[in-house]
Amino acid sequence: MTDAPEPGRAPTARSGRRPLARHGVQSSPGPVAQLMKAVAIVLAVVLVSGVGVAAYTWFTLASTFADGSVDLDGQESVPPDIGAIEGGVNLLLAGTDACEPEYAQYFGDRCTGADAEAELNDVNMLVHISDEPRRVTVISFPRDLMVPIPSCTHSDGTVTSAMSKRPLNSAYTNGGDAGLACVVSTIAALTGQDIPFAAKVTWGGVIEVTNAVGGVEVCIANGIRDHHTGIDWEAGNRTIAGLEALQFLRTRHGVGNGGDLGRISNQQQYMSRLARKLISDEVLTNPATLYSLASTAVENVTPSKSLTNPLTLMQIALAVKDVRFEEIVFLQYPVVEDPDDPNKVVPDEAAAAALWAALEANQPIVLSGEASQGDGVVVVEPETPQEATPEEPATPADPGETAAPGETPGTVTTLPESITGQTAAQETCSNGNLGG
């Protein structure tokens, strides 16, 4: 499957920003990227509960949210209780490229050719919420990651055959009408993590949710041109919503080295800025915006049955509502080139083991690698702080000074350099290229 051109580009906003050098291109086929709307639903729940939107509203929304929900193989719902959810928890968020009739016009050949009926999980994110002290780690898995796909059971009892090595984004199709459950089983088998909650969002869902939040301002360095997704934007800050947001999330030819790994880091920039937007006064103090965002997310997400109880949603919200931006980390699952196919990748087993050990230790994560494995973003360095006065000498930050409650001062876990990513506190810009 290839990225399809999109007719009807929105007007472009232009402003100046320093240009950056272009980089070489790494091949990696594929479209899509409509992730964080699922992250948005978790964050929206946090914000709505924090602002105090009436409980009956959530019960009303939950009845809609439960429609079409999906059973996960071997997973049971966590019994709801008052207060934050106990222990750590994992949520799987899948973004699929379904050609929904009301949006298919935007996706050209992808939704008119022979593959129009197929639906691939091109975005796969595991959201890990730790036990106390609470931290959030969002791990993105490349669509072209070659992994075993386990046998999956359709709703009619049909069981598919397990496959020893297939692209991760084929798991949803392999699962048929139980596609989300099959994606969860695949990621659970790969990572060894228990995943009791999951949700799916389509291209159309991203368009609707980004409209509901009122757009997100992203940073573009060097400009982006990608005829596959219909982008021709100059460098600068740009507020994107709806179709433009989806175009930005889908682009890979227009950022970094043109591969899927660069696209992942570009999506992480958007997620980080979305998180900051959702916590801002612009959203947090506006009940109408919060309700619109929550109701739109509910209407556009297909959840696992375990995620449909409003009390469970509240528990998850309470668990993450006070997490600092420094403790919200967006990572790419570590990979290396597939020796059998240069256009695919396979797990970096040693680095992955270090990642799971770090999450188990539940200590602050230090990123020692680059922000992007595929040159998709550049880090914007903070302005040089003012010189300290003699009365207030400057001192280096002590990790122990910012330890979260219940945490041993000074203890951190440094991830291997091969694990790329950023925190929600960092500012990055799309490392655009004009050759897409």
Side-chain angles (χ1 to χ4, degrees):
M1 183 186 303
T2 57
D3 291 325
E6 298 173 3
R9 302 177 187 176
T12 57
R14 304 181 183 276
S15 61
R17 179 174 282 270
R18 64 184 184 280
L20 294 170
R22 292 167 60 183
H23 296 266
V25 175
Q26 166 191 330
S27 60
S28 180
V32 178
Q34 48 303 21
L35 41 216
M36 69 243 27
K37 151 296 133 60
V39 170
I41 180 154
V42 176
L43 293 176
V45 172
V46 171
L47 295 176
V48 172
S49 61
V51 170
V53 172
Y56 73 83
T57 299
W58 270 108
F59 279 91
T60 300
L61 292 177
S63 64
T64 301
F65 196 41
D67 293 342
S69 58
V70 177
D71 278 319
L72 302 183
D73 293 341
Q75 306 290 351
E76 296 182 359
S77 300
V78 176
D81 196 359
I82 298 206
I85 200 164
E86 295 290 337
V89 65
N90 292 316
L91 305 91
L92 191 284
L93 310 174
T96 68
D97 64 353
C99 291
E100 299 160 296
E102 59 268 48
Y103 308 105
Q105 60 182 315
Y106 299 127
F107 308 118
D109 291 344
R110 165 64 189 93
C111 292
T112 57
D115 293 334
E117 297 301 317
E119 185 172 1
L120 302 177
N121 51 299
D122 279 339
V123 173
N124 306 275
M125 298 188 303
L126 181 65
V127 179
H128 174 76
I129 302 169
S130 74
D131 196 359
E132 298 285 355
R134 299 291 186 178
R135 313 180 199 281
V136 177
T137 307
V138 183
I139 304 161
S140 295
F141 296 80
R143 66 185 299 277
D144 296 323
L145 177 62
M146 302 298 289
V147 295
I149 305 289
S151 61
C152 299
T153 304
H154 296 187
S155 61
D156 64 0
T158 303
V159 179
T160 63
S161 299
M163 294 174 282
S164 61
K165 187 179 183 183
R166 294 289 296 166
L168 174 58
N169 74 333
S170 66
Y172 193 91
T173 298
N174 191 59
D177 59 2
L180 181 59
C182 195
V183 176
V184 169
S185 295
T186 301
I187 297 294
L190 172 67
T191 64
Q193 300 291 305
D194 180 50
I195 307 174
F197 303 109
K200 182 199 83 166
V201 57
T202 64
W203 275 344
V206 175
I207 290 175
E208 298 302 330
V209 171
T210 54
N211 277 333
V213 79
V216 174
E217 184 180 70
V218 296
C219 172
I220 301 168
N222 202 41
I224 297 177
R225 182 179 298 140
D226 180 2
H227 74 273
H228 297 277
T229 52
I231 291 179
D232 188 359
W233 301 342
E234 289 189 352
N237 290 341
R238 182 186 187 93
T239 298
I240 57 176
L243 179 58
E244 279 199 347
L246 182 59
Q247 290 172 312
F248 180 80
L249 294 170
R250 289 183 62 209
T251 186
R252 66 179 178 87
H253 298 282
V255 294
N257 60 19
D260 190 49
L261 303 186
R263 172 164 54 187
I264 285 175
S265 54
N266 195 50
Q267 294 167 354
Q268 290 174 338
Q269 181 212 164
Y270 183 91
M271 286 190 287
S272 176
R273 291 173 181 269
L274 173 65
R276 294 200 293 270
K277 172 71 177 282
L278 289 172
I279 302 298
S280 70
D281 289 341
E282 181 181 349
V283 174
L284 189 62
T285 61
N286 190 328
T289 299
L290 287 173
Y291 184 84
S292 175
L293 174 60
S295 59
T296 301
V298 163
E299 292 170 358
N300 288 276
V301 174
T302 300
S304 61
K305 283 188 173 21
S306 55
L307 200 57
T308 60
N309 189 307
L311 293 180
T312 300
L313 291 173
M314 291 295 187
Q315 285 183 290
I316 295 173
L318 290 171
V320 301
K321 70 183 181 67
D322 293 325
V323 176
R324 301 174 300 165
F325 285 148
E326 291 83 0
E327 301 291 358
I328 301 175
V329 183
F330 301 100
L331 303 175
Q332 180 191 286
Y333 181 77
V335 298
V336 294
E337 184 178 293
D338 184 351
D340 299 324
D341 185 346
N343 293 327
K344 305 294 184 183
V345 293
V346 294
D348 181 338
E349 301 286 359
L355 170 59
W356 306 129
L359 295 185
E360 179 68 23
N362 194 20
Q363 295 173 350
I365 290 175
V366 174
L367 300 172
S368 64
E370 300 291 332
S372 172
Q373 187 171 342
D375 294 329
V377 296
V378 293
V379 176
V380 178
E381 297 297 337
E383 295 182 2
T384 304
Q386 296 180 349
E387 294 184 4
T389 62
E391 291 78 14
E392 296 183 41
T395 57
D398 179 354
E401 293 178 359
T402 57
E407 174 182 293
T408 303
T411 55
V412 299
T413 298
T414 301
L415 295 179
E417 291 185 2
S418 56
I419 299 179
T420 61
Q422 69 171 89
T423 72
Q426 288 179 290
E427 181 179 357
T428 59
C429 292
S430 302
N431 188 19
N433 68 61
L434 299 176

